[in-house]
């Protein structure tokens, strides 16, 4: 009696798809998220931070709703779902992005900013009450790797109290926001959540721009390309991957990916701007990759 080869192949095919997703999603996320630090300066050379953030938020909301009309996943319906969705918007989009951009404007080196924000896995471990000594060891090594990678910028005199305080605000906002988003489960569709959150973010950034003033506004091709990249690749693509991963993975294994962002940013800076890779960056990269490998292995219980 002939057997159905497709039925026999299904488990293996599903396993291969899961394996591909487990490898491809984190890699794509890190590259896409890291590219934001390369794309943003091109836009900020022509417009003010508040104007850039407002345009980015409006563009993200428009793109988010276009995608939602094609997919039409579940919108928030209950009060609890709406409160949680809006809270994530306030934390991960308005507070995090606002603090990040203004920190650079008020005085902090990109290296120190990257170091402070990359402490997210450590703060997440505290919030999630992680007890595994292996995970804590890996987190410390990961932060050490980021410190080494950013060491060339830590001793400069261009860091201000305001810049450091805003960087800490960005760290707190993205950490709590991702934890809240991970606890939302699948009650609200991924694209619905992203569209709604982008809309609230657009309203808040537009109001902030109206209050503060547009500031510098000399948009050219560099701004258009930078804003388009930030909307489609970072705000939509990378954020969607982040939300998808926190729905199916341990929080620490996902946030641990942020350890690699400074090193990947340095590689992209080399490819785009020709900036040379210093030895500390390479050493820090090896430490963060090793730390991430331990985190991924231990949080999966293998």
């Amino acid at each position: 009696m002939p057997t159905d080869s497709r039925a026999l192949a299904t488990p293996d095919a599903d396993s291969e798809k899961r394996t591909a997703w487990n490898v491809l999603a984190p890699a794509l996320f890190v590259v896409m998220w890291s590219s934001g630090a390369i794309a943003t300066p091109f836009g900020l050379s022509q417009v003010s931070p508040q104007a850039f953030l407002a345009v980015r938020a409006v563009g993200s909301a428009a793109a988010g709703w276009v995608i939602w009309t094609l997919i039409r996943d579940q919108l928030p319906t209950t009060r609890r779902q709406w409160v949680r969705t809006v809270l994530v918007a306030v934390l991960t989009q308005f507070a995090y992005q606002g603090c990040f951009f203004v920190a650079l404007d008020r005085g902090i080196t990109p290296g120190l900013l990257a170091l402070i924000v990359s402490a997210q896995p450590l703060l997440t471990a505290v919030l999630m009450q992680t007890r595994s000594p292996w995970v804590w060891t890996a987190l410390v090594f990961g932060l050490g790797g980021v410190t080494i990678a950013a060491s060339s910028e830590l001793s400069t005199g261009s860091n201000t109290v305001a810049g450091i305080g805003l960087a800490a605000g960005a760290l707190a906002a993205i950490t709590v926001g991702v934890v809240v988003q991970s606890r939302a489960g699948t009650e609200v569709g991924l694209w619905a959540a992203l569209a709604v959150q982008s809309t609230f973010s657009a309203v808040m950034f537009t109001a902030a721009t109206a209050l503060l003033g547009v500031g510098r506004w000399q948009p050219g091709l560099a701004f258009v390309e930078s804003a388009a990249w930030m909307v489609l690749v970072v705000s939509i693509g990378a954020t969607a991957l982040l939300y998808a991963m926190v729905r199916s993975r341990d929080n620490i294994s996902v946030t641990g990916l942020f350890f690699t962002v400074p090193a990947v940013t340095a590689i992209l800076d080399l490819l785009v701007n020709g900036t040379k890779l210093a030895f500390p960056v390479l050493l820090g990269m090896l430490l963060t990759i090793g730390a991430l490998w331990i985190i991924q292995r231990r949080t999966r219980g293998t």
Side-chain angles (χ1 to χ4, degrees):
M1 181 177 179
T3 58
D4 188 343
S5 61
R6 290 175 299 176
L8 294 175
T10 297
D12 288 339
D14 290 342
S15 178
E16 289 177 1
K17 288 180 180 178
R18 285 194 298 270
T19 301
W21 165 256
N22 288 336
V23 173
L24 187 60
L28 276 176
F29 166 74
V30 171
V31 172
M32 293 166 75
W33 191 273
S34 301
S35 70
I38 306 300
T40 298
F42 291 101
L44 291 179
S45 66
Q46 298 181 340
V47 304
S48 65
Q50 63 268 30
F52 190 98
L53 285 165
V55 171
R56 172 184 174 177
V58 171
S60 299
W65 284 113
V66 168
I67 296 173
W68 182 85
T69 58
L70 298 174
I71 297 175
R72 292 189 176 275
D73 53 4
Q74 181 63 47
L75 286 165
T77 53
T78 67
R79 179 179 179 181
R80 179 176 61 83
Q81 291 173 355
W82 274 105
V83 169
R84 181 170 284 173
T85 301
V86 174
L87 178 60
V88 173
V90 172
L91 291 170
T92 64
Q93 298 198 30
F94 183 72
Y96 168 69
Q97 293 178 18
C99 287
F100 193 95
F101 274 67
V102 179
L104 288 170
D105 186 61
R106 291 297 178 88
I108 189 172
T109 60
L112 181 56
L113 179 58
L115 173 59
I116 293 173
V117 175
S118 70
Q120 182 186 351
L122 288 170
L123 190 54
T124 300
V126 173
L127 293 176
M128 304 301 293
Q129 298 182 333
T130 300
R131 297 180 180 180
S132 169
W134 277 102
V135 171
W136 276 108
T137 300
L139 291 171
V140 172
F141 268 100
L143 187 61
V146 175
T147 303
I148 293 172
S151 60
S152 62
E153 296 185 57
L154 301 184
S155 59
T156 65
S158 57
N159 297 309
T160 66
V161 174
I164 294 172
L166 286 163
L171 166 63
I174 189 66
T175 303
V176 177
V178 170
V179 170
V180 173
Q181 179 64 36
S182 69
R183 292 178 175 174
T186 57
E187 295 176 347
V188 179
L190 186 153
W191 293 107
L194 194 55
V196 171
Q197 290 166 6
S198 297
T199 301
F200 276 93
S201 175
V203 171
M204 289 184 285
F205 276 123
T206 300
T209 302
L211 181 65
L212 299 174
V214 174
R216 184 174 66 261
W217 182 255
Q218 298 174 330
L221 181 60
F223 165 71
V224 173
E225 292 176 343
S226 175
W229 185 272
M230 293 301 295
V231 167
L232 299 175
V233 176
V234 181
S235 293
I236 298 298
T239 305
L241 282 172
L242 176 63
Y243 284 6
M245 288 189 293
V246 297
R247 290 182 176 209
S248 60
R249 294 170 175 240
D250 180 271
N251 269 322
I252 297 174
S253 70
V254 175
T255 57
L257 296 171
F258 285 90
F259 276 148
T260 64
V261 168
V264 174
T265 300
I267 294 174
L268 294 177
D269 198 18
L270 168 67
L271 297 175
V272 176
N273 299 318
T275 304
K276 293 183 179 180
L277 280 176
F279 175 74
V281 174
L282 297 174
L283 179 59
M285 188 185 310
L286 291 176
L287 283 174
T288 55
I289 290 173
L292 185 60
W293 182 81
I294 295 174
I295 291 170
Q296 297 290 336
R297 297 278 294 181
R298 291 293 166 175
T299 53
R300 290 177 188 173
T302 57

